[in-house]
Amino acid sequence: MINEPFIPRTITVHLGTPQSNARNVTVNFPDYIKNVASSEIYPTWPESAIRANIYAITTFALNRIYTEHYRSQGYNFDITNSTQYDQAFVQGRDIFSNISRIVDELFNDYVVKEGTISPYFTQYCSGRGVNCKGLKQWGTVDLANRGYVPYDMLRYYYGNVNLVRNAPVRANIPSYPGRALRQGDRGEDVRTIQRELNRIAANYPAIPTVPVDLGVYDAATERAVRAFQRIFNLAQDGIVGKETWYRLKYIYASVKGLSELYSEGITYSEAQRAFSRVLQEGSRGSEVRTIQYYLNFIGFFNDTLPEISVDGIFGPGTRNAVLAFQRYYGLTQDGIVGRDTWNRIQTVYQSILNNLPREYQSYSSLIYPGYVLSVGSTGRVVEQLQSYLRVIGQNNNSVPVINVDGSFGNATRNAVRAVQRLYGIEQTGIVGPATWNAIVELYNGYRA
């Protein structure tokens, strides 16, 4: 599932049934709509009927793209030209001029169920010889002759629906983030997984529900992922790689009926992003601190990156460091931290950690381990964290003294929150790079 609906610049069409060994063609989205409309309806129909059908044709295609209906099943296309499954597309056919004109006006408008943002599954059929529960193409002609406008026709066939107008146009980028997600990761992609798991769990109670507010891939999320993988016959590794990611998409769309007339739809609150994936000059907060920490660490081993302050403020210095990183690693040099830059920064950081020069290995316990720590985390790194917090607590009354047992429980979380409060970091009780850096800084100050 793609979080935010949009109009794709192109659409890839499979020239046959989904399982057939047919060619794929990629065409501009408006040209695709013109082709389908010229293949499905008659140019001599009343204009209001033509417009209603174009709305249905456009929204049907957007639903296939938004739900990643075919790509989530392992296919390398967005839609087929088989009317048994999708809608007609005849490569190279002539386009009717009046249909072309109307599509140019309407191609970035689509139908949504009232109260939702996801493109509705606008099923339709001819209405002559073939009947369905959605829009009847010949029926729109009758309605037009009775004075119905396109919007009224859509509500006549689909019920309480609305139109989204002038939707943004952008490239159709697959939703998979490009790397496997696992315990310790944090961000919007994790939050998406958690939200989908919770909805699937309503139909499959063997999957435990998980909190989604913080978007942390914790031990509970890993257990839920393993349960999902067990139920749907995937490798039970607790990691969301590409196969698990797209199986989640497919099952989530199925239980919500996103490709059915009875669709629940996706509400704005469900699609709203809790964490901005785009950081740029003027941004502030813990995510900026995280980027600054990573860039400083990488810069210690790469002289082309300037040293910057870890202050949570994305100023000119941070922008210059981002530009230097992008230039060195062959990324688009815009000084903005989007998904590609964020993922590359994390990858480079982890690579350096895994290949630390021998002279720095004795300091490795003071370096952020590359994944978040939260309630439920266990092991040697948690022991290290607790030992630092204990020293801090013994020297600073505002931080509680805790035991060192290798298990991240409520006491550890409270101590972490106390440090976050001291440093003006959001008091989540979760240890990411910015919080780790603050803890180590305090620890080093007290042990000196």
Side-chain angles (χ1 to χ4, degrees):
M1 210 74 48
I2 297 166
N3 267 12
E4 300 165 0
F6 62 93
I7 307 300
R9 291 197 178 96
T10 61
I11 184 171
T12 299
V13 187
H14 185 66
L15 302 178
T17 59
Q19 304 86 359
S20 67
N21 185 26
R23 286 193 307 124
N24 293 341
V25 294
T26 299
V27 296
N28 290 332
F29 187 74
D31 292 340
Y32 168 79
I33 300 301
K34 292 176 184 180
N35 187 302
V36 173
S38 296
S39 303
E40 291 273 6
I41 59 179
Y42 290 86
T44 55
W45 283 1
E47 184 163 313
S48 58
I50 293 175
R51 286 173 176 269
N53 278 272
I54 287 172
Y55 282 131
I57 290 166
T58 300
T59 308
F60 186 98
L62 291 177
N63 179 276
R64 287 297 196 228
I65 290 172
Y66 179 78
T67 61
E68 296 179 287
H69 180 76
Y70 288 110
R71 295 190 184 276
S72 66
Q73 299 177 67
Y75 295 111
N76 62 345
F77 51 82
D78 301 308
I79 200 166
T80 75
N81 75 341
S82 167
T83 55
Q84 178 185 354
Y85 295 90
D86 299 304
Q87 46 197 14
F89 173 88
V90 181
Q91 188 179 21
R93 69 152 298 139
D94 290 333
I95 306 300
F96 300 117
S97 60
N98 64 325
I99 285 178
S100 178
R101 170 181 57 80
I102 295 170
V103 170
D104 283 338
E105 178 187 339
L106 302 183
F107 78 92
N108 57 347
D109 299 346
Y110 62 92
V111 181
V112 296
K113 187 177 179 180
E114 205 166 71
T116 71
I117 65 166
S118 49
Y120 187 57
F121 182 68
T122 46
Q123 181 183 11
Y124 63 86
C125 59
S126 72
R128 282 192 175 179
V130 178
N131 275 304
C132 61
K133 293 182 179 179
L135 179 143
K136 314 296 190 297
Q137 292 171 312
W138 279 98
T140 61
V141 177
D142 295 333
L143 292 177
N145 290 332
R146 290 161 55 187
Y148 277 65
V149 298
Y151 178 69
D152 290 336
M153 293 181 200
L154 294 171
R155 291 180 74 91
Y156 178 88
Y157 286 114
Y158 298 123
N160 293 328
V161 295
N162 291 318
L163 284 171
V164 172
R165 300 187 186 276
N166 298 315
V169 178
R170 66 171 174 81
N172 184 10
I173 301 172
S175 65
Y176 180 60
R179 65 184 184 90
L181 300 171
R182 63 192 72 214
Q183 187 172 167
D185 282 330
R186 182 185 184 187
E188 184 58 32
D189 292 322
V190 174
R191 187 170 177 267
T192 296
I193 291 168
Q194 293 168 329
R195 183 174 61 243
E196 292 172 353
L197 283 168
N198 283 348
R199 176 59 187 87
I200 294 168
N203 290 61
Y204 295 87
I207 300 173
T209 58
V210 295
V212 302
D213 291 343
L214 297 174
V216 175
Y217 201 128
D218 55 11
T221 302
E222 182 177 293
R223 287 193 294 271
V225 169
R226 288 183 187 274
F228 174 86
Q229 291 170 327
R230 182 174 62 255
I231 292 170
F232 294 102
N233 301 313
L234 301 168
Q236 297 173 44
D237 57 9
I239 297 170
V240 180
K242 189 173 184 178
E243 185 178 13
T244 297
W245 176 274
Y246 280 115
R247 186 65 63 86
L248 273 167
K249 299 293 176 189
Y250 183 75
I251 301 301
Y252 179 71
S254 297
V255 298
K256 286 185 74 69
L258 296 182
S259 296
E260 304 289 347
L261 286 171
Y262 62 79
S263 169
E264 293 179 13
I266 303 291
T267 65
Y268 176 76
S269 62
E270 287 176 305
Q272 190 175 26
R273 299 177 72 86
F275 299 96
S276 171
R277 297 295 274 178
V278 176
L279 300 174
Q280 56 192 330
E281 195 163 358
S283 298
R284 291 171 175 260
S286 59
E287 287 183 315
V288 177
R289 285 179 183 265
T290 294
I291 291 297
Q292 291 168 330
Y293 174 87
Y294 279 144
L295 289 172
N296 271 349
F297 179 84
I298 295 168
F300 187 81
F301 299 92
N302 183 335
D303 292 338
T304 64
L305 272 65
E307 184 177 354
I308 54 177
S309 299
V310 182
D311 57 7
I313 301 171
F314 200 126
T318 300
R319 183 176 186 275
N320 289 338
V322 171
L323 283 168
F325 179 89
Q326 291 170 330
R327 185 163 51 249
Y328 187 86
Y329 290 99
L331 300 169
T332 301
Q333 296 174 47
D334 55 10
I336 296 171
V337 180
R339 173 183 277 182
D340 289 346
T341 299
W342 170 251
N343 284 342
R344 183 64 65 85
I345 287 172
Q346 287 186 306
T347 300
V348 172
Y349 181 84
Q350 196 64 55
S351 176
I352 294 173
L353 276 188
N354 294 339
N355 299 279
L356 273 179
R358 181 169 297 177
E359 62 267 29
Y360 298 108
Q361 289 178 5
S362 61
Y363 300 100
S364 61
S365 63
L366 295 171
I367 299 171
Y368 176 63
Y371 52 88
V372 298
L373 301 171
S374 60
V375 172
S377 299
T378 59
R380 181 180 57 83
V381 175
V382 175
E383 285 185 16
Q384 292 169 350
L385 172 72
Q386 290 172 326
S387 67
Y388 304 155
L389 288 168
R390 183 174 175 82
V391 170
I392 294 169
Q394 290 170 337
N395 290 274
N396 189 318
N397 292 334
S398 61
V399 178
V401 178
I402 61 171
N403 294 324
V404 179
D405 58 10
S407 179
F408 197 126
N410 290 333
T412 303
R413 179 175 59 188
N414 291 338
V416 169
R417 283 175 171 167
V419 173
Q420 290 171 329
R421 187 162 53 250
L422 286 172
Y423 273 76
I425 299 171
E426 183 184 2
Q427 296 171 45
T428 60
I430 296 167
V431 180
T435 299
W436 180 278
N437 188 47
I439 290 170
V440 169
E441 188 176 291
L442 270 177
Y443 169 73
N444 283 334
Y446 288 127
R447 71 169 184 156

